[in-house]
């Protein structure tokens, strides 16, 4: 089973920074996309940033110039550095990943699409 474990959320003042982390379980061996989404109460879940296996990066317009997505060299951990935070950034942030994993060394690869548990980011005025 694939797991995506998130950390790094919290409460900050407007203009502050946070760094979110998302680590995929060890049985993941090939990732297609890792991404960050966010969802405020009563709102839809919106894409914040995504990074592909080839390193292509896309950002939502509302975070360009403020947020940076990056991956560890092993490709199984993704980060979201959030600077110049605004109150409207307040939301639950979810890690997303898809790709291939194996349940054992003798099993064939299988496709997965998984979400992390979400981490709360609150930005006060």
């Amino acid at each position: 089973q694939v797991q995506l474990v998130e950390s790094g959320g919290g409460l900050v003042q407007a203009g502050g920074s946070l760094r979110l982390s998302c680590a995929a379980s060890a049985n993941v061996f090939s990732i297609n996309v890792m991404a960050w989404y966010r969802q405020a109460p009563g709102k839809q879940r919106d894409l914040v940033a995504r990074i592909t296996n080839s390193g292509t990066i896309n950002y939502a317009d509302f975070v360009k110039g403020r947020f940076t997505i990056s991956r560890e060299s092993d490709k199984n951990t993704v980060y979201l550095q959030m600077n110049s935070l605004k109150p409207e950034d307040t939301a639950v942030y979810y890690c997303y990943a898809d790709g291939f994993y194996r349940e054992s060394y003798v099993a064939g690869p299988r496709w997965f699409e998984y979400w992390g548990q979400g981490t709360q980011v609150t930005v006060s005025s």
Side-chain angles (χ1 to χ4, degrees), residues 8-82:
L11 172 65
V12 297
Q13 296 283 333
S17 298
L18 286 173
R19 190 188 191 215
L20 306 184
S21 300
C22 176
S25 52
N27 59 341
V28 172
F29 68 89
S30 180
I31 289 177
N32 178 43
V33 170
M34 299 191 80
W36 290 96
Y37 289 74
R38 72 186 189 188
Q39 187 169 23
K43 302 292 182 64
Q44 67 179 10
R45 187 171 296 186
D46 294 322
L47 175 69
V48 176
R50 67 192 294 271
I51 184 167
T52 72
N53 61 350
S54 63
T56 301
I57 295 173
N58 301 103
Y59 294 102
D61 287 341
F62 53 81
V63 303
K64 286 182 179 177
R66 300 188 297 123
F67 292 9
T68 302
I69 189 170
S70 61
R71 291 175 66 177
E72 292 281 358
S73 59
D74 63 8
K75 307 292 186 181
N76 288 343
T77 302
V78 66
Y79 302 95
L80 186 68
Q81 179 66 47
M82 304 185 294

Side-chain angles (χ1 to χ4, degrees), residues 102-109:
R102 293 194 299 188
E103 295 183 350
S104 72
Y105 290 113
V106 298

